[in-house]
């Protein structure tokens, strides 16, 4: 990973060099403080006071320069406004065109200023995080709260870009008025939703949106997808994204995600009946459901590697394998073989292309709509999760065509086989294979350096303000002094090439986040996979009743995310929501135990709802925090962060389904409590681990 100090130096605007945060000096001062406290020549109170004063001075330097530049922009806009007023009396097409270009030039200056704020904000947050880690304080909380809420706060100027809104508004309004409106006299205030067809305005709006650093529903929803971002992209990368993007191909990837989730959960309401009809115990449904997850552990790796070379071929292969797997699943009834049933589910798992779907969004969707695409990925998954059981509830029929049986057990297989066949035809007709990246040699990189430098300012703003490629690493990952070795720096940018290399990059915070992800997936899989057996044993529910219950659980995903993403996440920190969600999952598990006799429907449904909803909230927050503390070397390549999280979740599902089957040998009367006990232990362990790493989660 390239050191932030070197990156800061490379990204600085030459004439503004003296006004950036002096990150190198502050980092050295933190090391000095640590040494002085260690040898006893300085006390902690003096260190806190001295470091606070240094930060105040740095922020004051940045803010005064920011105000000065805002004044220059305001002066330019005022002069342009006078020219525009004069043109209204005597219109001149050539002068209008010149005036429009002048406004665009001011817009470019504004983009430079926004990028200036971005770099300094990242530096401030990074040095605060370094100080907290070095001394074990919660100094960041103290400093931000005392400065941000003060009436004379200068920190607001940096983190909330106070005052720039008026400049943005002036540029947008005047460029809008100078457009050829074909005789219309409406302004942007009359039609706020009217799109502005000007690249400068689009770039400014995108920059301001990201600099706002506020969480909304779309952001929160997209966190579930865990589409990791790299560091600030180069202009070449952004142009490639635009060239590779194809809307229909993105839609096909989302459709693949939806169908796969339907395929996963459509058999849950009937898996126990199907197992018994083939002469196995009802609890063998755990193995039937989990067989898909077992195969997915391996398929995720080879699909992730395959997506380095192609997106179309893996999706075609996935569709064919899923068609074959579902056909085998349906035929198992007529051949009366539990092994054909299990083999069919294994084939379905081998067709899991979720790694390809994630990779396509990460690599081929332009940054400006990647958030929407990530949210679409999660929405497709949630909708598939709800539609699967609901569809199973509708397939309550029984008939034969020749020697093939169509009933509630086999119809899920037949329906999904037909769906994947239709999808394969659509894929073959409509998918467009994007051009894959080529490795640029050093000579080409040198020849392109000047072009990249000229465009870096505008393109650099297309990443979020505090994206956390700067926060992704631990103190020792990527924040070392640059040693001048170009080869070492180039190697540090490369993605990891093995699971072992990826594991070495996992810091304690990342491991805790992956443990939490394992826990929530384990708890959810226990709840969903054994629901048919448990409800049949305790409440004598029919297949339709189980399907309705599971569908209702799936339908809670989007409403809960709306509430959490739009309101709760703006009121509390992510780490606070994380800990509260873990506690609620633990409460749901505790309430699910069969202690009070008789076991009631109200107890089961309420405890299941608490557990499921809390786990959904926990998943979004956890993946958001995970993306901030994970090394950016895991943002691309075969062994990326998305693959690691997928593997953790898939392993959790495998273990959960195996637990259900093994516990079934002790009898259905003890199945519920035995399967819930590991959930409780893992949940408690994750809460304890979270408490120990709480201060490092931002």
């Amino acid at each position: 990973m390239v050191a932030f100090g070197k990156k800061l130096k490379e990204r600085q605007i030459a004439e503004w060099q003296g006004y950036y945060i002096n990150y190198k000096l502050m980092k050295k001062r933190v090391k000095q403080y640590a040494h002085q406290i260690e040898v006893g020549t300085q006390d902690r109170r003096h260190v806190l006071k001295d470091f606070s004063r240094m930060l105040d001075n740095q922020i004051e330097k940045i803010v005064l320069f920011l105000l000065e530049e805002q004044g220059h922009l305001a002066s330019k806009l005022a002069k342009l406004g006078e020219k525009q007023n004069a043109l209204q009396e005597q219109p001149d097409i050539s002068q209008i065109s010149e005036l429009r270009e002048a406004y665009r030039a001011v817009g470019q200056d504004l983009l430079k200023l926004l990028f200036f704020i971005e770099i300094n904000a990242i530096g401030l947050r990074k040095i605060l995080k370094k100080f907290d880690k070095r001394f074990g304080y919660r100094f960041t909380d103290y400093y931000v709260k005392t400065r941000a809420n003060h009436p004379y706060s200068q920190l607001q100027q940096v983190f909330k870009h106070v005052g720039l809104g008026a400049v943005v508004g002036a540029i947008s309004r005047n460029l809008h008025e100078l457009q050829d409106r074909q005789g219309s006299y409406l302004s942007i205030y009359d039609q706020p939703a009217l799109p502005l067809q000007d690249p400068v305005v689009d770039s400014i709006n995108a920059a301001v949106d990201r600099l706002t650093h506020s969480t909304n529903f779309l952001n929160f929803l997209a966190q579930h997808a865990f589409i990791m971002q790299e560091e600030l992209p180069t202009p070449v990368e952004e142009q490639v994204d635009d060239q590779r993007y194809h809307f229909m191909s993105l839609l096909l990837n989302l459709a693949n995600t939806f169908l796969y989730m339907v395929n996963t959960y459509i058999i849950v309401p009937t898996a126990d009946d199907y197992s018994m009809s083939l002469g196995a115990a009802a609890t063998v449904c755990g193995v039937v459901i989990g067989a898909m997850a077992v195969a997915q552990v391996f398929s995720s790796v080879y699909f992730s590697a395959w997506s380095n070379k192609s997106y179309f071929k893996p999706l075609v292969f996935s569709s064919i394998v899923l068609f074959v797997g579902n056909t085998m699943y349906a035929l198992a009834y007529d051949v009366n073989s539990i092994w054909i049933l299990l083999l069919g589910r294994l084939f379905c798992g081998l067709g899991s292309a979720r790694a390809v779907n994630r990779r396509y969004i990460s690599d081929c969707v332009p940054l400006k709509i990647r958030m929407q695409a990530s949210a679409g990925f999660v929405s497709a998954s949630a909708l598939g999760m709800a539609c699967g059981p609901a569809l199973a509830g509708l397939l309550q029929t029984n008939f034969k065509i020749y020697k093939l049986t169509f009933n509630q057990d086999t119809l899920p297989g037949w329906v999904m086989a037909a769906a994947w066949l239709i999808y394969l035809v659509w894929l073959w007709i409509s998918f467009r294979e994007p051009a894959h990246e080529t490795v640029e040699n050093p000579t080409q990189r040198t020849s392109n350096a000047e072009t990249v430098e000229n465009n870096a300012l505008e393109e650099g703003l297309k990443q979020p303000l505090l994206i956390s490629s700067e926060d992704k690493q631990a103190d020792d990952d990527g924040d070392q002094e640059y040693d001048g070795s170009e080869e070492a720096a180039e190697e540090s940018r490369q993605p990891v090439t093995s699971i072992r290399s990826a594991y070495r990059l996992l810091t304690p915070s990342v491991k805790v986040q992956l443990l939490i992800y394992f826990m929530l997936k384990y708890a959810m899989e226990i709840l969903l996979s054994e629901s048919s057996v448990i409800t049949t044993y305790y409440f004598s529910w029919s297949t339709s009743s189980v399907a309705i219950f599971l569908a209702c659980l799936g339908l809670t995903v989007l409403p809960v995310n709306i509430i959490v993403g739009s309101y709760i996440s703006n009121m509390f920190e992510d780490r606070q929501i994380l800990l509260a969600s873990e506690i609620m999952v633990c409460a749901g598990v505790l309430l699910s135990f069969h202690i009070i006799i008789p076991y009631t429907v109200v107890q089961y449904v309420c405890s299941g709802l608490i557990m499921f909803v809390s786990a959904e909230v926990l998943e979004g927050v956890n993946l958001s925090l995970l993306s901030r503390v994970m090394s950016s070397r895991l943002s691309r390549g075969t062994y990326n962060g998305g693959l690691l999280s997928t593997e953790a979740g898939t392993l959790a599902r495998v273990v959960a389904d195996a637990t259900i089957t093994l516990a079934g040998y002790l009898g259905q009367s003890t199945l519920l409590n035995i399967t819930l006990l590991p959930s409780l232990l893992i949940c408690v362990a994750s809460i304890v681990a979270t408490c120990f790493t709480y201060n490092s989660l931002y």
Side-chain angles (χ1 to χ4, degrees):
M1 175 89 227
V2 180
F4 175 74
K6 178 179 181 291
K7 232 171 115 174
L8 175 62
K9 186 176 181 180
E10 290 175 346
R11 297 278 182 161
Q12 285 180 359
I13 300 169
E15 59 267 29
W16 294 357
Q17 195 166 10
Y19 301 102
Y20 285 89
I21 181 175
N22 196 332
Y23 180 78
K24 185 175 181 180
L25 173 65
M26 297 185 76
K27 191 173 72 170
K28 287 183 177 179
R29 188 63 60 89
V30 169
K31 292 179 180 178
Q32 289 175 4
Y33 291 149
H35 177 71
Q36 289 170 355
I37 290 176
E38 186 178 350
V39 299
T41 59
Q42 198 68 270
D43 61 24
R44 294 177 182 269
R45 181 172 296 182
H46 182 272
V47 166
L48 290 173
K49 183 178 179 181
D50 192 53
F51 188 65
S52 297
R53 184 170 57 250
M54 177 181 287
L55 276 174
D56 290 338
N57 291 337
Q58 290 289 322
I59 292 172
E60 183 177 272
K61 174 184 69 175
I62 295 166
V63 169
L64 291 177
F65 176 75
L66 179 61
L67 292 173
E68 182 181 352
E69 289 301 311
Q70 285 182 15
H72 292 160
L73 292 178
S75 178
K76 290 179 182 179
L77 288 172
K79 292 177 181 178
L80 291 176
E82 293 174 1
K83 293 181 181 179
Q84 188 172 347
N85 291 334
L87 281 175
Q88 287 180 350
E89 298 177 1
Q90 296 181 346
D92 185 313
I93 295 177
S94 61
Q95 290 186 17
I96 290 175
S97 178
E98 291 177 3
L99 190 61
R100 189 186 298 121
E101 290 303 317
Y103 273 114
R104 286 175 181 154
V106 177
Q108 293 292 340
D109 291 339
L110 177 59
L111 282 170
K112 289 168 61 177
L113 196 58
L114 290 170
F115 187 51
F116 172 81
I117 301 171
E118 177 186 22
I119 288 292
N120 284 292
I122 291 173
L124 284 172
R125 179 161 180 177
K126 193 167 180 66
I127 199 67
L128 284 167
K129 182 179 178 181
K130 180 176 287 293
F131 188 90
D132 282 354
K133 284 191 173 184
R134 179 76 67 159
F135 298 102
Y137 295 146
R138 294 182 60 182
F139 177 75
T140 300
D141 288 349
Y142 155 75
Y143 188 82
V144 172
K145 286 178 182 177
T146 54
R147 266 63 175 179
N149 297 322
H150 196 276
Y152 303 136
S153 171
Q154 293 177 326
L155 194 62
Q156 292 275 9
Q157 290 279 351
V158 178
F159 282 98
K160 295 193 176 181
H161 47 92
V162 177
L164 286 177
V167 181
V168 174
I171 295 172
S172 301
R173 182 182 66 82
N174 287 292
L175 277 175
H176 180 273
E177 290 183 356
L178 288 170
Q179 284 182 343
D180 182 9
R181 304 310 302 170
Q182 297 180 349
S184 172
Y185 293 96
L186 295 176
S187 73
I188 60 173
Y189 303 112
D190 298 313
Q191 292 184 340
L194 198 65
L196 298 176
Q197 306 298 325
D198 197 293
V200 173
V201 174
D202 290 339
S203 298
I204 292 172
N205 288 336
V208 171
D209 286 343
R210 288 177 171 87
L211 285 169
T212 301
H213 191 53
S214 62
T215 305
N216 55 26
F217 166 57
L218 191 64
N219 264 311
F220 188 81
L221 192 63
Q223 289 166 4
H224 288 67
F226 197 47
I227 310 295
M228 287 192 64
Q229 308 281 356
E230 275 200 294
E231 299 173 29
L232 295 174
T234 64
V236 174
E237 288 172 344
E238 190 62 27
Q239 291 168 10
V240 168
D241 274 348
D242 288 329
Q243 294 169 4
R244 301 172 81 194
Y245 174 63
H246 181 230
F247 174 74
M248 188 57 70
S249 300
L250 172 62
L251 191 61
L252 281 161
N253 273 279
L254 297 180
N256 184 282
T257 298
F258 169 76
L259 287 176
Y260 187 79
M261 293 303 290
V262 172
N263 210 148
T264 300
Y265 290 100
I266 194 172
I267 73 156
V268 172
T270 58
D272 56 338
D273 288 336
Y274 205 169
S275 300
M276 289 190 293
S277 69
L278 298 179
T283 51
V284 174
C285 70
V287 174
V288 175
I289 297 170
M292 199 167 176
V294 170
Q296 191 179 343
V297 171
F298 304 98
S299 66
S300 296
V301 177
Y302 67 71
F303 271 116
S304 183
W306 201 350
S307 63
N308 290 325
K309 299 180 180 179
S310 174
Y311 300 99
F312 176 68
K313 292 178 182 178
L315 291 175
V316 170
F317 177 78
S318 165
S319 304
I320 294 172
V321 171
L322 282 158
F323 170 77
V324 173
N326 281 289
T327 303
M328 293 175 67
Y329 181 86
L331 289 173
Y333 188 90
D334 291 306
V335 299
N336 195 30
S337 172
I338 188 71
W339 297 110
I340 296 295
L341 183 74
L342 292 173
L343 195 59
R345 288 294 285 179
L346 282 171
F347 263 74
C348 289
L350 291 174
S352 171
R354 287 174 67 82
V356 180
N357 305 145
R358 277 195 178 106
R359 187 73 177 272
Y360 184 87
I361 294 173
S362 175
D363 292 356
C364 301
V365 176
L367 204 58
K368 57 189 175 185
I369 62 168
R370 195 172 297 166
M371 184 68 72
Q372 291 91 325
S374 301
F377 177 87
V378 177
S379 299
S381 299
L383 190 59
M385 186 178 183
C387 288
L391 188 57
L394 297 175
L395 301 176
Q396 301 300 302
T397 186
N398 193 349
F399 61 92
K400 272 197 169 189
I401 298 178
Y402 297 105
K403 295 183 180 181
L404 298 179
T405 303
F406 296 86
N407 58 24
Q408 66 172 12
D409 296 332
T410 63
L411 274 172
W414 291 122
V415 168
M416 292 312 303
W420 284 113
L421 187 60
I422 294 170
Y423 174 81
L424 180 60
V425 175
W426 181 25
L427 179 72
W428 195 273
I429 295 172
S430 303
F431 191 87
R432 188 176 76 188
E433 180 76 87
H436 280 260
E437 297 175 351
T438 56
V439 180
E440 190 180 32
N441 62 45
T443 306
Q444 291 172 324
R445 188 182 302 113
T446 303
S447 64
N448 290 334
E450 187 174 350
T451 303
V452 170
E453 183 178 354
N454 291 337
N455 295 315
L457 289 173
E458 181 176 346
E459 297 298 330
L461 286 162
K462 294 185 179 178
Q463 285 282 9
L465 165 63
L466 299 178
I467 197 140
S468 20
S469 71
E470 305 309 336
D471 294 330
K472 282 176 190 169
Q473 314 112 17
D475 234 16
D476 298 328
D477 179 21
D479 197 26
Q480 306 299 324
E481 292 292 342
Y482 182 64
D483 61 1
S485 171
E486 192 66 33
E487 293 80 6
E490 184 65 29
E491 183 180 356
S492 68
R493 297 189 195 101
Q494 298 302 317
V496 294
T497 55
S498 67
I499 286 287
R500 178 178 295 181
S501 300
Y503 183 80
R504 288 173 181 169
L505 292 175
L506 302 184
T507 63
S509 295
V510 175
K511 292 175 182 177
V512 169
Q513 300 303 104
L514 290 176
L515 172 64
I516 294 171
Y517 195 64
F518 181 93
M519 177 273 292
L520 70 91
K521 286 297 183 183
Y522 182 92
M524 290 173 68
E525 189 71 10
I526 288 290
L527 172 66
L528 299 174
S529 296
E530 71 177 11
S531 59
S532 183
V533 178
I534 295 299
T535 55
T536 301
Y537 178 79
Y538 285 105
F539 318 126
S540 300
W541 279 9
S542 64
T543 300
S544 298
S545 299
V546 178
I548 292 172
F549 170 67
L550 294 176
C552 289
L553 286 180
L555 289 173
T556 62
V557 174
L558 293 180
V560 168
N561 281 323
I562 290 174
I563 295 171
V564 176
S566 299
Y567 302 104
I568 297 178
S569 59
N570 289 325
M571 299 166 60
F572 302 98
E573 295 178 4
D574 281 357
R575 54 183 177 171
Q576 293 173 328
I577 301 174
L578 179 86
L579 188 56
S581 300
E582 286 183 86
I583 294 172
M584 289 303 296
V585 171
C586 189
V589 172
L590 285 171
L591 291 173
S592 298
F593 277 93
H594 180 198
I595 299 173
I596 302 174
I597 300 175
Y599 195 59
T600 64
V601 174
V602 174
Q603 180 184 351
Y604 178 76
V605 171
C606 290
S607 60
L609 190 62
I610 292 171
M611 188 193 310
F612 186 83
V613 169
S614 301
E616 277 297 324
V617 174
L618 180 60
E619 181 176 4
V621 178
N622 180 64
L623 291 180
S624 172
L625 290 170
L626 185 59
S627 69
R628 301 181 192 183
V629 296
M630 187 172 281
S631 170
S632 61
R633 287 188 64 194
L634 298 174
S635 62
R636 289 206 177 200
T638 300
Y639 303 97
N640 53 66
L643 175 65
L644 293 180
S645 63
T646 298
E647 292 291 86
T650 304
L651 285 172
R653 291 172 53 206
V654 170
V655 174
D657 291 323
T659 303
I660 293 171
T661 299
L662 293 175
Y665 287 106
L666 301 177
Q668 293 188 25
S669 60
T670 59
L671 176 66
L672 180 65
N673 288 346
I674 291 176
T675 53
L676 286 174
L677 188 59
S679 297
L680 180 62
L681 295 176
I682 299 172
C683 191
V684 171
S686 70
I687 292 173
V688 172
T690 301
C691 292
F692 277 109
T693 59
Y694 187 80
N695 286 335
S696 63
L697 301 177
Y698 285 88

